[in-house]
Amino acid sequence: MSGIDIFLSYSREDRAAVRHIAESFEAEGLDVWWDAALKSGQTFDEVIEQRLKEAKAVVVLWSPRSVTSRWVRAEATLADRKNKLVPAIIEPCDRPIAFELTHTADLSEWTGETSDLVWRGFVKDVQALVQKGGAEEAPPATAKAPPRAFRPHAAAAERPAAPVRAGRGDDDVIFTSRARHAQEAQGPEVEPAPEPSTSEADEHEELHCLRITDGIDSQELFVVRSAGLKIGRTAPADAVIAHPSVSREHCIVGLANDELLVTDLNSTNGTYIDDQRIGRAAVLPVGSVLRVGQVSLSHQLLSGNEAEHGPSSNNRRGGMRPARLAAAP
């Protein structure tokens, strides 16, 4: 079975308590991953994101410290979206309002005894989610075809002839002789409808876009695709914002589980989401404002047609470039 059973999300200041919880889960036969398992040289954010996707259950441990962590909130949001969130309170605190209605185990008075009824109930909830995730990963059973009697003459007749290549270049189509005979029996060939081009498909696709909104006339727009978008003052950044308050390599905006994750690249003037400076990485909700230095960009969802043909201006102002559509390759 691929993946891990449990991903633990917590505040680093609670590491001692989290270690005991991780060991208690392992004693129940569950495979647990937490960032103490990170090896030297591994890219922190990439490993965490991969393990978060692989896990069958995400256990978020709420405490007065973790509720203020944008990183823990982001992990909880992604887990909830994937229906694999199992939260617990390890110290009395006010949970983020978005998770107040989520059933949460109260381990704030748990002494560490694995026979404790509250702990047993929490383990049961986690095991149920892990088993559900394992069942979804299992490949569907396929019925075996009954063995066919070997008939030398029939086998020779059924063996397809060597493929014949028709046409040229990328439009080559390969037919076997059997396929040609079947087509002749069915009548004249009917050409299939052409596949829509990438641009046509993108017209109605919802795209995550960042639009400059801080009074600069250009209304410059950047589209964030699966490859991510690096924002900086100069090339080779994907989104070049030539403003003196923007660092040469300022931040990276990634797309994961249909959400934008922003990671600051040790910028001089900081990266902010709704006027809150981010430390490591944070989710950028739709409608929120990302500020790099003194330049603000609004997170919008637009169709491909709106992104391509939306209102823009070619005026320069504040050192900005003329408007363009900048999409990561």
Side-chain angles (χ1 to χ4, degrees), residues 21 35 89 112 124 160 216 228 258 261 268:
I21 291 173
D35 59 15
I89 296 173
K124 185 177 179 181
I216 296 170
D258 201 32
L261 289 174
T268 301

Side-chain angles (χ1 to χ4, degrees), residues 207-211 221-224 298-302 307:
L207 302 174
H208 288 270
C209 302
L210 297 176
R211 186 187 296 279
L221 185 74
F222 302 102
V223 177
V224 184
S298 173
H299 178 194
Q300 303 175 2
L301 280 180
L302 302 174

